Amino acid sequence: MEDTGRTIEIVPDRDRPSAFTLRIDGTDQSYVDLDDPRRLEFDYMQRIADVIDAHGEAGAPLRCVHIGGAALTIPRYVAATRPRSSQTVLEPDEQVTALVRERLPLPRHSGIKIRPVDGRSGIAAMRDSLADVIVLDAFDGARIPAELTTAEFFADLGRVVTDDGLVLLNIADKAPFPYARRVVRGVCDVFAHVMISAEPATLKGRRFGNVLVVASQAPLPWEALARRAASSPFPYRVLPYRDVVTTFAAKAPFTDSDSERSPAPPGGATFFS
């Protein structure tokens, strides 16, 4: 599917007739199994699911806001594991949304509403303490938009999420993490409790990869999450708040007057494919 030079594809999984990958300009954005939305192919999405699973009462509905929708992998997961959840997805790319609705339809009564608006504008329009969970997983191609990782935006996320709620950010970088460290500083300046997790190879600087940042005003169950992440087929290492502050966060966050997109992956957009 072509649109002003972009290529948007929904690629079938050869081994699972019910599963598909959304690929945009060569980058795999989402993997969805329509028959089993609990099945998460991307490792970082499993780590996001771990954090959501550990929040509050197991199976209880949540109010979720997702910044970036693509094929709606995590919203589908929450709808399956926490029925009756109310979920709002901020996805400005109406062409992608239309294709996903047509080829990868949501189940009836999913509780998922998609708004054709960017994350910055969508969050600004929301009332205080609206969300139990906010997930930021938004990419323009293979890079995160600059306006979604500033101190001002994180302050707005802190306004919209409840006092004991969660904010999760999927970012990408490589050691020595000049981009990620400034993002983490901005998060630490707003939230009392922060942890990060990533593959050991990413943290040791051996490869460019995903870094998951989790924040809340309430304590995080990082020890339980660390055990779960370590036992996965592709283990992640979890760093709790004290380690984030002393060894990871930069001195200065990004601001609206001093922001930048995430670094491009080595080898271009197909790095994550």
Side-chain angles (χ1 to χ4, degrees):
M1 186 175 188
E2 299 288 337
D3 177 44
T4 62
R6 289 190 316 157
T7 302
I8 306 173
E9 305 170 88
I10 292 183
V11 183
D13 187 327
R14 296 179 181 178
D15 299 321
R16 297 180 69 89
S18 62
F20 303 86
T21 297
L22 172 66
R23 184 175 297 160
I24 302 177
D25 289 340
T27 300
D28 288 352
Q29 299 280 1
S30 301
Y31 179 95
V32 170
D33 189 332
L34 297 179
D35 287 349
D36 184 9
R38 294 175 175 84
R39 183 170 182 265
L40 303 174
E41 187 75 7
F42 297 170
D43 299 327
Y44 83 88
M45 286 195 173
Q46 183 59 66
R47 303 286 74 81
I48 289 175
D50 289 348
V51 176
I52 295 174
D53 287 348
H55 186 59
E57 181 183 351
L62 294 171
R63 297 171 298 167
C64 299
V65 174
H66 304 267
I67 303 169
L72 310 170
T73 303
I74 293 298
R76 294 173 197 264
Y77 178 88
V78 172
T81 57
R82 293 176 178 263
R84 303 183 309 282
S85 290
S86 173
Q87 301 191 79
T88 300
V89 179
L90 308 178
E91 174 52 73
D93 195 326
E94 295 183 70
Q95 186 181 11
V96 168
T97 297
L99 183 62
V100 168
R101 286 188 183 278
E102 176 188 351
R103 298 279 302 279
L104 307 174
L106 291 166
R108 294 184 63 188
H109 309 300
S110 67
I112 300 170
K113 297 180 180 179
I114 306 170
R115 295 182 181 175
V117 64
D118 65 272
R120 194 68 185 259
S121 301
I123 289 293
M126 291 181 174
R127 61 177 173 82
D128 295 1
S129 301
L130 171 72
D132 300 308
V133 177
I134 299 176
V135 179
L136 193 162
D137 185 18
F139 286 80
D140 181 6
R143 305 178 72 176
I144 302 166
E147 69 271 13
L148 297 182
T149 53
T150 69
E152 293 86 349
F153 183 56
F154 293 148
D156 216 15
L157 295 182
R159 176 186 63 80
V160 172
V161 74
T162 59
D163 288 342
D164 62 347
L166 300 172
V167 172
L168 299 91
L169 303 88
N170 174 48
I171 59 178
D173 201 359
K174 182 179 180 180
F177 304 107
Y179 171 81
R181 290 180 187 278
R182 294 192 68 182
V183 173
V184 170
R185 168 48 59 197
V187 175
C188 289
D189 287 348
V190 173
F191 296 94
H193 299 273
V194 180
M195 73 175 210
I196 63 173
S197 64
E199 290 180 301
T202 298
L203 289 175
K204 292 177 181 178
R206 295 174 184 168
R207 69 185 301 271
F208 183 96
N210 297 101
V211 177
L212 178 64
V213 184
V214 183
S216 180
Q217 302 298 4
L220 297 164
W222 69 266
E223 293 174 310
L225 292 170
R227 288 192 297 269
R228 188 160 178 176
S231 65
S232 68
F234 298 95
Y236 267 46
R237 183 184 173 198
V238 172
L239 301 180
Y241 182 67
R242 61 179 179 273
D243 290 330
V244 171
V245 171
T246 58
T247 67
F248 204 88
K251 292 183 179 180
F254 289 117
T255 68
D256 284 349
S257 61
D258 170 29
S259 62
E260 59 187 59
R261 295 189 297 164
S262 63
T270 57
F271 176 84
F272 288 114
S273 301

